[in-house]
């Protein structure tokens, strides 16, 4: 555990644990004690591993949901842009047609 606590990952994990709303307070305290290298920490690596796995599963699920929402939004945007492009094309053709008609009527 001491080696892990000296890596750059430990402070990142500490911030995640502090900010996560999905962790019970008792679990949060135990994780933070472990991550701070607190001498009062009683080894419970099985519990900590379980908590971290649960956090990973929650984060993966949240990421999958966010990715699906983003992909749906991109598809919707692309469909909207295609429809608007067709609309602009039709309106441009109508304007050109009417401009040509006005020109012809003005000459006559």
């Amino acid at each position: 555990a001491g080696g892990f606590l000296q890596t750059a990952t430990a402070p990142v994990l500490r911030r995640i644990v502090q900010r996560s709303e999905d962790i019970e307070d008792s679990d949060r305290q135990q994780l933070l004690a472990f991550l701070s290298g607190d001498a009062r920490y009683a080894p419970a690596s099985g519990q900590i591993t379980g908590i971290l796995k649960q956090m990973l599963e929650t984060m993966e699920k949240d990421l999958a949901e966010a990715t699906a929402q983003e992909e749906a939004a991109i598809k919707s945007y692309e469909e909207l842009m295609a429809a608007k492009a067709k609309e602009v094309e039709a309106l441009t053709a109508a304007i050109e047609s009417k401009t040509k008609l006005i020109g012809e009527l003005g000459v006559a």
Side-chain angles (χ1 to χ4, degrees), residues 49-61:
T49 303
I51 294 167
L52 292 175
K53 284 182 181 178
Q54 180 183 10
M55 287 176 61
L56 176 63
E57 289 170 4
T58 301
M59 287 182 197
E60 287 174 340
K61 183 182 124 215

Side-chain angles (χ1 to χ4, degrees), residues 53-91:
K53 284 182 181 178
Q54 180 183 10
M55 287 176 61
L56 176 63
E57 289 170 4
T58 301
M59 287 182 197
E60 287 174 340
K61 183 182 124 215
D62 291 346
L63 176 61
E65 289 173 4
T67 301
Q69 288 175 348
E70 184 66 19
E71 288 172 354
I74 289 170
K75 182 179 177 186
S76 176
Y77 171 80
E78 289 172 348
E79 290 171 354
L80 175 66
M81 291 306 293
K84 289 297 180 181
K86 287 180 182 179
E87 186 179 344
V88 167
E89 186 178 312
L91 292 172

Side-chain angles (χ1 to χ4, degrees), residues 37-52:
D38 192 342
R40 294 175 291 168
Y41 169 73
S45 61
Q47 281 183 314
I48 290 176
T49 303
I51 294 167
L52 292 175

